[in-house]
Amino acid sequence: MVAFGKKLKERQIQEWQGYYINYKVMKKKVKEYADQIQAGALNQRYVLKDFSRMLDKEIEKVVLFLLEQQGVFARRISQLNEQQDSLQEQPDISKVTELREAYRNVGRDLLKLLFFVEINAIGLRKILKKFDKRFGYKFTDYYVKTRANHPYSQLQQVFNNVGLGAVVGAISRNLADLQDREGSYLSIYDQPALPLQDSVVDSMEAAIDRLSYSTNFLNFSVQRSLIMLEELPSPVEEHADDQRYHFMSLLLNLANTFLYMINTYIVVPTADDYSMSLGAAATVCGIVIGAMAVAQVFSSVYFSAWSNRSYFRPLVFSSIVLFVGNVMYALAYDLKSIPVLLIGRIFCGLGSARAVNRRYISDCVPLKIRMQASAGFVSASALGMACGPALAGLLQTNFKIYKLTFNQDTLPGWVMAFAWLLYLIWLWISFREPAQETDEVNNFSQIANAENDALERGVVQPLLLNSVGAEQDNEGGQEGDGSEEAQEESRRPANSIVEAYRLLTPSVKVQLLIYFMLKYAMEVLLSESSVVTTYYFSWSTSTVAIFLACLGLTVLPVNILVGSYISNIFEDRQILLASEIMVCLGILLSFQVIIPYSVPQYVCSGLLMFVSAEVLEGVNLSLLSRVMSSRLSRGTYNGGLLSTEAGTIARVIADVTITLAGYLGQSKLLNVTLLPSLLICIASIFATCRTYNSLY
């Protein structure tokens, strides 16, 4: 993990050093507690009481200083308001300019205070997490609930920003009033959609956004995107991201995600018919669908490595390979060749650039909009998943042009080939390759030194004064090791899959098992839907497409429900276990037993399984993003890649299972494929219970 203690000390504002939480002392205290409990000198009850008292004092110190500074800002703004009132009677352009600069100076000083609150909030969360990890208590839950819900709560002053938000609002309003609005008498409250063009206000709003720590739909979507975000980026890194960001390039990355998900699921309703038209069994559809996932296991790695050097070239390569793969998929019908069909789907999997899409958002999108971009990534994936089967349902026609056949089997390939060709042209015209990160950081440093900006003097430089001799806080357990080698080791990304796997804690491994399970169950449900519904209910391709599209459309509403409401009522661990049980129940209800298999049973059990898996995926990735080692937030072998590989391998195994089960006959396909899903689900439930019981 990144050495937070060292980072905290480096970034403290010198004149405020005595008002930060004493992270170093609290960390040592936790270690002393552990040693004394092991020696039998202390009991657990005393430790909880003593540590709670220590945290209360540290938080009170921060809050009292925060309130004092808010009073200082209130007085400064009040004095400036008096000057502004006098200018209403005797306007003076030079004094207006001076007054606007004075308000900006207040804003720059406020940025220092916002950063002070942010770094204390992060330190508090980290020491609570360290205490829980060391002792296996639910201390964080107890402490936050008892302190946050109390009428005299000081903890709320740290995690909420009502007072600071009011100061930001006062500065923004007065700057807007002083801005030339061409004779308009409207204020910012009358025209909320009209933004105030001022860099100081933008910086304050971005800092306020970072202070928000409540779970909501946007945060929930970010965690689902598998984009591991750094908790405390430096101002230099933030500015570099601003320079590298290009809106159209971000849009092209999201479009790539959307088209790829359509490409994945557009063949699901017709894969069994296509296989039979080429002389194979209907259950070969499992291999046809899964071939794309097989190739994606390898493409995720080389695309992740390629994105270290470029974003444009991997996206071009992806588009070309996907174009070729879809053309081969469509031509297999007239060539009467199963190998061509499978090779076409393999090419489609080799063009999976989702690692590049994630990496672009993580590396090139500014922090202030990175959350929205990550939510857009999840939304684009969900919409593509719903649009794929729906589009297949619309392609119900049959005609020939020369020797090429266009029907419900081949049209998905032709349509996607044309879509990727259009995307390639758009990409070539509009994408802008971001400059290398090191160049941008160097350029920013030169600009900052040349201009001697007041904000940099006030915020950035004091944060770098104490770098010499700072304590080493290696979260991974290297206590007290201040060597440069140890510091570099704590920041170095994993350089292989094996090394990345070794960084996983038991709880992370359990959550990857859960991810594997839910992807396996969902793939079985989706991939065999056409075969099962045709055998039991004689559904047409259009009916299957409508059913799958309806399942896909539940993704966003489920995210909103869980992210905005359920996660604010229940703990993530509770939702996790409940969702696993509901998935297990959905699998059990899907089995075909003595009674005849009916449409209501299939639809209700499938909907229960799919929606529960969606809830489980969101909560699981939410937890995963918080406990994953920060060494896995960067580099080729990052946390997003590991999670993607776990899910992709699950899809491959599920599709192979469908094909192998087909040799037993379609009458046994449903139960044979559901049995492994049930066993894996039960195993994940037991692993979850055992892991969280031992930790909490």
Side-chain angles (χ1 to χ4, degrees), residues 480-678:
D481 185 0
S483 67
E484 291 295 327
E485 292 80 3
Q487 295 174 23
E488 288 300 320
E489 178 67 20
S490 69
R491 294 173 173 82
R492 184 178 59 82
N495 55 21
S496 68
I497 285 285
V498 175
E499 184 177 355
Y501 182 79
R502 289 173 180 168
L503 292 173
L504 302 180
T505 62
S507 61
V508 174
K509 292 177 181 177
V510 169
Q511 286 169 269
L512 288 177
L513 172 63
I514 295 172
Y515 192 63
F516 177 92
M517 178 273 293
L518 67 91
K519 285 297 181 183
Y520 183 94
M522 290 172 67
E523 188 71 10
V524 166
L525 172 66
L526 298 175
S527 295
E528 71 178 15
S529 59
S530 182
V531 179
V532 169
T533 56
T534 300
Y535 177 79
Y536 287 105
F537 319 127
S538 300
W539 279 7
S540 65
T541 300
S542 298
T543 307
V544 177
I546 293 172
F547 171 69
L548 295 177
C550 290
L551 287 181
L553 288 173
T554 63
V555 174
L556 289 180
V558 167
N559 280 351
I560 295 173
L561 178 65
V562 177
S564 299
Y565 300 104
I566 296 179
S567 60
N568 292 328
I569 300 174
F570 302 100
E571 296 180 13
D572 284 351
R573 295 186 298 275
Q574 295 173 328
I575 305 173
L576 186 80
L577 185 58
S579 300
E580 287 183 87
I581 294 173
M582 294 304 291
V583 171
C584 187
L585 181 60
I587 295 172
L588 284 171
L589 293 176
S590 298
F591 277 91
Q592 193 272 320
V593 286
I594 300 174
I595 61 175
Y597 206 53
S598 63
V599 172
Q601 179 186 353
Y602 177 77
V603 172
C604 292
S605 61
L607 187 62
L608 176 63
M609 186 197 309
F610 187 84
V611 170
S612 301
E614 282 296 321
V615 174
L616 178 60
E617 181 177 0
V619 177
N620 186 57
L621 294 181
S622 171
L623 285 168
L624 191 61
S625 67
R626 280 181 259 161
V627 299
M628 187 80 76
S629 169
S630 62
R631 286 183 61 186
L632 297 175
S633 66
R634 63 186 74 86
T636 300
Y637 303 97
N638 52 64
L641 176 64
L642 291 180
S643 304
T644 301
E645 292 290 86
T648 305
I649 291 172
R651 291 172 53 205
V652 171
I653 296 175
D655 290 323
V656 171
T657 303
I658 292 171
T659 301
L660 294 178
Y663 289 105
L664 301 177
Q666 292 189 25
S667 61
K668 298 180 180 179
L669 174 66
L670 182 66
N671 289 347
V672 170
T673 53
L674 285 174
L675 185 59
S677 300
L678 180 62

Side-chain angles (χ1 to χ4, degrees), residues 162-363:
V162 176
L164 296 175
V167 179
V168 172
I171 296 172
S172 303
R173 182 188 64 80
N174 286 287
L175 281 174
D177 289 345
L178 292 170
Q179 188 178 41
D180 180 14
R181 292 183 176 271
E182 299 180 354
S184 172
Y185 292 96
L186 299 177
S187 71
I188 59 172
Y189 303 110
D190 299 310
Q191 293 180 312
L194 185 62
L196 173 62
Q197 301 298 324
D198 196 293
S199 59
V200 173
V201 174
D202 291 340
S203 299
M204 289 189 298
E205 290 177 349
I208 284 287
D209 288 341
R210 286 203 305 267
L211 281 177
S212 299
Y213 193 68
S214 59
T215 303
N216 54 32
F217 169 53
L218 204 56
N219 283 320
F220 193 73
S221 295
V222 171
Q223 292 155 346
R224 287 205 56 181
S225 68
L226 298 177
I227 297 170
M228 306 296 171
L229 304 179
E230 287 287 352
E231 215 172 1
L232 195 61
S234 69
V236 173
E237 291 167 343
E238 290 182 40
H239 187 90
D241 286 342
D242 287 335
Q243 295 291 337
R244 305 178 80 200
Y245 171 63
H246 182 231
F247 173 74
M248 188 57 69
S249 300
L250 172 62
L251 192 61
L252 282 160
N253 270 277
L254 297 181
N256 183 282
T257 298
F258 175 69
L259 287 176
Y260 185 79
M261 292 304 291
I262 292 178
N263 211 148
T264 301
Y265 290 98
I266 194 173
V267 305
V268 172
T270 58
D272 58 334
D273 287 338
Y274 205 165
S275 301
M276 288 189 294
S277 68
L278 298 181
T283 51
V284 174
C285 69
I287 292 295
V288 174
I289 297 170
M292 194 169 178
V294 171
Q296 191 179 346
V297 172
F298 304 99
S299 65
S300 296
V301 178
Y302 68 72
F303 270 114
S304 182
W306 201 349
S307 62
N308 290 326
R309 302 186 301 275
S310 172
Y311 301 96
F312 175 68
R313 289 191 290 273
L315 290 176
V316 170
F317 176 79
S318 166
S319 304
I320 294 173
V321 171
L322 280 159
F323 171 78
V324 173
N326 281 289
V327 169
M328 293 181 69
Y329 181 86
L331 289 175
Y333 187 90
D334 293 306
L335 295 175
K336 302 295 182 184
S337 173
I338 282 285
V340 173
L341 182 71
L342 295 177
I343 292 172
R345 288 292 287 177
I346 289 173
F347 264 71
C348 290
L350 292 175
S352 171
R354 288 172 66 80
V356 180
N357 306 143
R358 289 193 184 96
R359 190 69 176 272
Y360 184 88
I361 294 173
S362 179
D363 292 351

Side-chain angles (χ1 to χ4, degrees), residues 393-413:
L394 297 175
L395 302 177
Q396 302 300 303
T397 186
N398 193 346
F399 62 93
K400 296 192 79 168
I401 299 178
Y402 297 106
K403 295 183 180 181
L404 299 178
T405 303
F406 296 86
N407 57 23
Q408 66 173 11
D409 297 331
T410 63
L411 274 173

Side-chain angles (χ1 to χ4, degrees), residues 23-40:
Y23 182 82
K24 180 179 179 181
V25 170
M26 287 192 292
K27 191 192 76 169
K28 288 183 176 178
K29 195 69 175 177
V30 170
K31 188 174 185 300
E32 289 177 8
Y33 287 147
D35 294 339
Q36 291 175 338
I37 287 178
Q38 189 173 6

Side-chain angles (χ1 to χ4, degrees), residues 66-67 70-71 73-74 77 110 113-114 156-157 160-170 208:
L66 176 61
L67 294 174
Q70 288 179 13
F73 283 116
I77 293 175
L110 179 61
L113 187 62
L114 290 170
Q156 291 285 8
Q157 292 287 337
N160 291 340
N161 46 62
V162 176
L164 296 175
V167 179
V168 172
I208 284 287

